[in-house]
Amino acid sequence: MAKKKEELDPETLELIQWCIEVEGFLVKGGATVEEAQDHIEEQIEWFTDLFYDGLTPEEAAKEALA
């Protein structure tokens, strides 16, 4: 029996897409892709707060690089 794929709600999908965009800005700012992904994973609660505070991915990346 195949395992049913878990559906993510639209808000979660939006957060994931936002984090992918943040990753791109972190890489533009000098991080490697791996460093950017690790940082987002380690600080996901902080990034989630920034997302809900309405920061753009670019603004969040600038905060992270500050």
Side-chain angles (χ1 to χ4, degrees):
M1 187 173 190
K3 186 176 179 183
K4 185 178 177 193
K5 209 172 188 181
E6 187 176 330
E7 294 281 327
L8 296 174
D9 65 86
E11 192 171 61
T12 301
L13 291 172
E14 190 178 339
L15 174 60
I16 291 168
Q17 182 59 44
W18 184 87
C19 286
I20 291 168
E21 292 179 37
V22 171
E23 176 188 316
F25 286 110
L26 291 173
V27 170
K28 283 182 185 175
T32 66
V33 171
E34 185 176 0
E35 288 170 339
Q37 290 174 350
D38 287 348
H39 184 65
I40 291 169
E41 286 177 21
E42 291 168 7
Q43 300 296 324
I44 192 60
E45 289 179 9
W46 183 72
F47 280 105
T48 300
D49 288 344
L50 296 181
F51 172 78
Y52 285 111
D53 287 345
L55 272 71
T56 66
E58 186 173 15
E59 291 168 336
K62 284 181 182 176
E63 290 283 324
L65 294 168

